[in-house]
Amino acid sequence: MTTLLYALWPLFALIVGGFLLRRWDFPGEAFWPAAERLNYFILFPALLFSSLAMAPLDNPALPRLALAVFLGLGIGWSALLLARRLLGWPAARFGAVTQGILRFNTYLGLAAIGSLYGKDGLAIAALMLALMVPTVNLMSVWALTAERGVSLHGLLLPVAKNPLILACLAGALVNLAGFGLPGGTDRLLNLLAVASLPLGLLCVGAALRPQELAGEVPALAWNCALRLLAMPALAFAVAQVLGLPAMESSILVLFFALPTAPTAYVLTRQLGGDSHLMAGIITLQTLLAAASLLLVMRVVSS
């Protein structure tokens, strides 16, 4: 527990720091959208690209890891579709609920994995992201547009334009081609990557909206319980059934235990979803994750 606490508390300290800095209007309101764009389009893709370019794609656990990812997401998605049919959720609400349960905060996830498992863990995490990011994005777009209907082009375009997905694909192609990262390219990408995670966590804190927690308390409570407790329990069960190695199993559970992504709010607004509910889910899950991640990872590692 002490090791977990030492690994995780600095990450949440950065989130709190970002929240306080924005509340104090430092360094200015214009800084945070610009910092988020820089991280989303340049720094974080550099981290994913370099991790995948050097990742062990011949890892014998990879097929089982891919199966575990798709099985976990598939079970969660099927349960959500059933709940929508039974409860009659409109697409605006269904999209927010879906993102609250299936999406995950990649900044917090990679920062935690880097602290706990180092470069080997980051390589495995990058492989998982290459599978999870496009899948979860497709599910999110479909959920938010379920009532209006959406063409294949409209469904795939947000995924094809996602810089994280493009970085994962490019890194995998460089890896498979055997180019490596010559001539100091690895050092350049490492410098960009090092800046990504602390800036990302500060931006996560800056995006928190405590004022959005009022009015949807029951929905926020069960959504947080499903995301922060039920989803990691599902991932742990899948990992045990498939016999994943210890580190791969822990990383899978951690990804399924992360709070939802702050970018879910932007997508929800763009596609006409319930942005008030989405903002509340993001805020409460991020706050509760400080305790739930410690609990989940303590159980998994025991």
Side-chain angles (χ1 to χ4, degrees):
M1 179 62 79
T2 302
T3 302
L4 286 170
L5 183 61
Y6 286 166
L8 295 179
W9 82 258
L11 313 182
F12 285 95
L14 283 171
I15 292 174
V16 172
F19 173 75
L20 293 176
L21 286 172
R22 190 162 195 176
R23 190 176 183 87
W24 295 333
D25 197 28
F26 180 85
E29 186 61 30
F31 170 80
W32 297 106
E36 194 168 333
R37 284 179 59 81
L38 174 66
N39 207 14
Y40 187 66
F41 286 99
I42 304 295
L43 303 181
F44 200 49
L47 171 61
L48 295 178
F49 175 85
S50 59
S51 297
L52 267 173
M54 305 302 292
L57 296 182
D58 58 349
N59 187 332
L62 183 56
R64 279 183 297 171
L65 188 60
L67 178 59
V69 165
F70 290 130
L71 189 57
L73 289 177
I75 293 172
W77 178 241
S78 299
L80 282 166
L81 290 176
L82 178 61
R84 177 176 180 257
R85 177 178 290 273
L86 294 175
L87 299 174
W89 287 327
R93 190 171 188 84
F94 179 55
V97 168
T98 294
Q99 292 186 92
I101 292 174
L102 295 184
R103 292 191 72 167
F104 50 92
N105 190 319
T106 46
Y107 299 135
L108 179 56
L110 288 184
I113 289 164
S115 297
L116 291 169
Y117 304 109
K119 287 188 175 181
D120 291 340
L122 284 175
I124 293 171
L127 293 172
M128 289 183 59
L129 284 176
L131 302 171
M132 296 178 73
V133 170
T135 304
V136 170
N137 272 268
L138 282 171
M139 291 173 172
S140 300
V141 172
W142 189 92
L144 285 163
T145 57
E147 287 175 351
R148 302 196 299 270
V150 62
S151 66
L152 183 61
H153 176 268
L155 187 63
L156 293 178
L157 185 60
V159 178
K161 292 169 61 178
N162 188 307
L164 309 187
I165 296 171
L166 295 176
C168 288
L169 290 175
L173 288 174
V174 167
N175 189 314
L176 293 171
F179 294 150
L181 298 173
T185 308
D186 57 339
R187 177 63 178 156
L188 171 62
L189 291 171
N190 184 61
L191 289 171
L192 293 171
V194 166
S196 172
L197 294 177
L199 181 61
L201 292 173
L202 287 171
C203 289
V204 168
L208 296 181
R209 302 167 182 264
Q211 69 275 14
E212 302 288 353
L213 294 176
E216 289 275 11
V217 175
L220 293 175
W222 62 254
N223 192 280
C224 289
L226 289 174
R227 176 63 208 174
L228 301 178
L229 299 176
M231 289 300 286
L234 170 62
F236 183 73
V238 168
Q240 295 304 300
V241 169
L242 296 179
L244 288 182
M247 184 166 67
E248 284 84 346
S249 177
S250 295
I251 292 174
L252 178 74
V253 171
L254 191 150
F255 266 117
F256 276 70
L258 292 169
T260 192
T263 50
Y265 179 76
V266 178
L267 183 65
T268 302
R269 289 195 63 181
Q270 288 177 342
L271 297 180
D274 189 336
S275 57
H276 171 69
L277 176 60
M278 191 74 256
I281 288 172
I282 293 166
T283 299
L284 187 57
Q285 283 192 14
T286 303
L287 295 174
L288 294 178
S292 66
L293 274 178
L294 277 174
L295 172 63
V296 168
M297 296 311 294
R298 176 69 182 90
V299 171
V300 169
S301 60
S302 62

